[in-house]
Amino acid sequence: MTTRQPTDITEIPAKNGKLYVSAIFDCFDVSVLGLSMDDNMRAELCVKTIENACGGYPDMRGAVLHSDRGSQYTSEKYRFAIAGFGIIQSMNSAGGRCHDNARCKSMWARMKDELFYLRGRDPKNYTIDEMKTLVWRYFMSY
């Protein structure tokens, strides 16, 4: 059976720069199948997300991985990585259709609300390393 999984990147401002979080979400329960974080959003960030997902979920082979048309997802490195894991790439051909990654966008908003905004916290009060810990703990206990 082929599964469909959305992937996306979000940006969180920090005291000493920006943290970029890349995740692959499960369409069934919005759990995180793969997660990676860095201070940049180059293709390597998304490749690491795929490696983490496939390491934890070997059944990812044959999955359809849906993303937007960002440069990370259209890069040769990313396309080579998904092919190596037997994953089928999916992107909307028209570009800019918000419903394609709605689950990802919704999860990012929920994470930011629950970690920061609903608690009156400003993410700019945390360093990138502190933020990585908060985000990791959030998703691992979600």
Side-chain angles (χ1 to χ4, degrees), residues 109-122:
R110 179 184 296 163
M111 176 199 71
K112 291 174 183 178
D113 274 350
E114 291 179 357
L115 276 180
F116 304 110
Y117 309 128
L118 295 175
R119 297 175 183 214
R121 295 178 176 169
D122 184 351

Side-chain angles (χ1 to χ4, degrees), residues 1-8 23-28 31-35 46-67 78 81-90:
M1 175 187 278
T2 302
T3 61
R4 300 180 189 280
Q5 313 303 345
T7 186
D8 195 33
I24 298 172
F25 295 102
D26 187 291
C27 276
F28 176 71
S31 62
V32 174
L33 302 177
L35 182 70
C46 300
V47 169
K48 187 67 177 165
T49 305
I50 292 169
E51 292 170 352
N52 291 338
C54 291
Y57 298 92
D59 290 342
M60 285 286 293
R61 180 169 291 282
V64 175
L65 189 56
H66 184 81
S67 69
Y78 183 80
I82 62 171
F85 285 107
I87 295 172
I88 302 161
Q89 186 173 24
S90 168

Side-chain angles (χ1 to χ4, degrees), residues 73-87:
Y73 303 115
T74 58
S75 72
E76 186 176 339
K77 286 181 184 180
Y78 183 80
R79 294 162 62 111
F80 183 78
I82 62 171
F85 285 107
I87 295 172

